[in-house]
């Protein structure tokens, strides 16, 4: 009940009314959730906060100094457009023009040579960030970042499948498939090489990256077939990527990076993976770390607990109570604070899990997930509980309350104009670092949709969870072609 209020308030049109661009006053702005409008404000060419950005370009934040985020990141853009594409599928057809602008922008971007390389061998596809006019950023940076091509493939495949369902297959083949094919070939060729993690700090192997790559290859294979094409690299590499993904599990939690970095490994990397690879048709599968899986829930507990003692804003909040959470406990960037998008991700994983239990008609507690449940219901015990049981009712109510608690933490530290920066301080929860972070708004919109039971399409997780008996490093040969910018 609390959450409905909290999320409704945060999403209500008008909360950000001062930031609404004039052009929307006589359009559909009044029906747009504030978080959606805030995202659109940061997208070129019409976004009110990002003048100078090309059409379909997601600017990470309007902030141009301390920190300067006035760039477009392949990852942030793909995650943001995935949310917009899910909104389109849920019925907001007004978003289709900007989604098509995104596709066109990516067709151009793939051909831009950059410090990671170029398109001839695919290496340029993993360049993490570009100028907002689609030119290369040539200064030193943590590159390559190999999650970008995978996340972009996922966003574009989701839109492509929507168009196929509308019998617009030929436009998918001409405008979307060439871009997706490059990204899939990239993933199949390079997944077994190190790169920088999603926080752009750690060079090694990142759980988030590997999981995004597995998903892209799985849905890429089906997408190719639906178009009468093929993705041999998808089929040959996906099982090995999944095999490698298993090694990030340490028995209690996910070790987010394989790198010599002196960290515990507990990192929002893992929770973002769980919500990113949430499949509404999947069971509580440990192998793909579904939100309701025992592994993902055990990891959720240990990740959240790692912030209880270190942030003064969390003082006095015992295990089982929602708290402010950030990227990882050792973080020092811009003060090493809690982040809005990670706190929302902690809620979203639980909303996803609640959806999955409801679909399955039961909830299972195993020895692995028991500590997570015991924090919420002290009498919880291992077992399988059908949705008709009292235990199911009391436990799901407790999980819902816990999830709502994370949203309430975000609400408590959101200024009255509804704006979401990147971080809020560990000492008193006031906004910090980049203002109006696009990803923060995307995280809010996505958490709100999951809380309301609106879910994205399946990506086929339940047909792609067979782990080979022996893991092997491997690579498929990739070929790359310059995509053309299509007409719609
Ligand atoms: C490549 O895959 C093998 C087998 O899973 C794994 O042992 C190795 O760590 C991987 N290396 C990288 C950089 O992905």
């Amino acid at each position: 009940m609390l959450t409905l209020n909290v999320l409704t308030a945060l999403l209500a049109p008008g909360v950000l009314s001062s930031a609404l661009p004039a052009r929307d006053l006589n359009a559909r702005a009044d029906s747009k959730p504030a978080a959606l409008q805030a995202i659109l404000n940061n997208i070129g060419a019409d976004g009110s906060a990002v003048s100078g950005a090309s059409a379909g370009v997601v600017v990470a934040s309007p902030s141009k100094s301390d920190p300067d985020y006035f760039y477009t990141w392949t990852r942030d853009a793909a995650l943001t457009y995935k949310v917009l594409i899910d909104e389109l599928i849920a019925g907001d057809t007004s978003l289709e023009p900007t989604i098509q602008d995104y596709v066109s922008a990516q067709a151009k971007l793939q051909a831009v040579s950059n410090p990671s390389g170029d398109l001839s061998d695919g290496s340029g596809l993993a360049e993490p960030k570009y100028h907002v006019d689609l030119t290369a950023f040539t200064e030193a940076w943590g590159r390559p970042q190999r999650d970008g091509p995978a996340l972009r493939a996922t966003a574009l495949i989701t839109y492509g499948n929507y168009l196929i369902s509308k019998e617009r297959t030929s436009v998918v083949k001409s405008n979307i498939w060439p871009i997706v094919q490059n990204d899939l070939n990239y993933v199949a060729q390079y997944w077994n090489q190190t790169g920088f993690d999603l926080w752009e700090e750690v060079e090694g192997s990142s759980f988030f990256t590997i999981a995004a790559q597995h998903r892209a290859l799985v849905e890429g294979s089906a997408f190719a077939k639906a178009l009468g094409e093929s993705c041999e690299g998808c089929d040959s590499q996906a099982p090995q990527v999944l095999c490698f993904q298993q090694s990030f599990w340490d028995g209690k939690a996910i070790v987010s990076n394989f790198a010599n970095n002196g960290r515990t490994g507990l990192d929002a990397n893992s929770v973002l993976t769980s919500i990113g690879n949430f499949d509404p048709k999947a069971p509580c599968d440990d192998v793909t770390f579904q939100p309701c899986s025992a592994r993902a829930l055990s990891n959720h507990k240990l990740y959240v607990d790692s912030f209880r003692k270190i942030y003064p804003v969390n003082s006095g909040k015992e295990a089982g109570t929602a708290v402010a959470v950030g990227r990882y406990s050792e973080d020092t960037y811009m003060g090493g604070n809690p982040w809005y998008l990670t706190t929302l991700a902690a809620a979203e994983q639980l909303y996803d899990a609640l959806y999955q239990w409801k679909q399955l008609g039961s909830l299972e507690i195993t020895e692995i997930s028991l500590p997570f449940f015991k924090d919420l219901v002290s009498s919880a015990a291992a077992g399988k509980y059908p949705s008709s049981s009292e235990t199911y009712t009391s436990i799901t109510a407790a999980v819902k309350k816990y999830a709502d608690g994370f949203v309430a933490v975000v609400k408590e530290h959101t200024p009255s104009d509804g704006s979401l920066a990147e971080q809020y301080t560990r000492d008193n929860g006031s906004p910090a670092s980049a203002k109006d972070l696009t990803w923060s708004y995307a995280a809010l919109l996505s958490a709100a949709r999951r809380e309301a039971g609106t879910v994205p399409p399946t990506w086929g997780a339940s047909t792609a969870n067979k782990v080979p008996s022996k893991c092997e490093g491997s690579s498929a040969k990739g070929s790359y072609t310059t995509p053309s910018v299509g007409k719609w």
Side-chain angles (χ1 to χ4, degrees), residues 146 190-195 204-206 210 213 240-245 247-248 258 470-474:
R146 303 188 200 276
Y190 294 100
W191 70 269
N192 203 206
Q193 297 192 15
T194 57
S205 295
S206 159
I210 290 293
Q213 291 173 328
Q240 282 305 329
V241 181
L242 186 66
C243 204
F244 184 39
Q245 194 184 338
S247 58
F248 290 81
F258 290 150
K470 185 168 177 289
C471 293
E472 277 164 12
S474 60

Side-chain angles (χ1 to χ4, degrees), residues 55 103 127 179 229 312 328 349 374 438:
V103 179
E127 176 67 3
I179 308 171
E229 304 279 351
Y328 50 90
Q349 184 189 327
K374 267 191 165 312
T438 314

Side-chain angles (χ1 to χ4, degrees), residues 39 83 340-342 344-345 348 438-448:
I39 292 170
V83 170
Y340 293 105
L341 76 91
T342 57
L344 289 162
E348 184 167 331
T438 314
W439 192 352
S440 295
Y441 295 116
L444 173 59
L445 191 51
S446 159

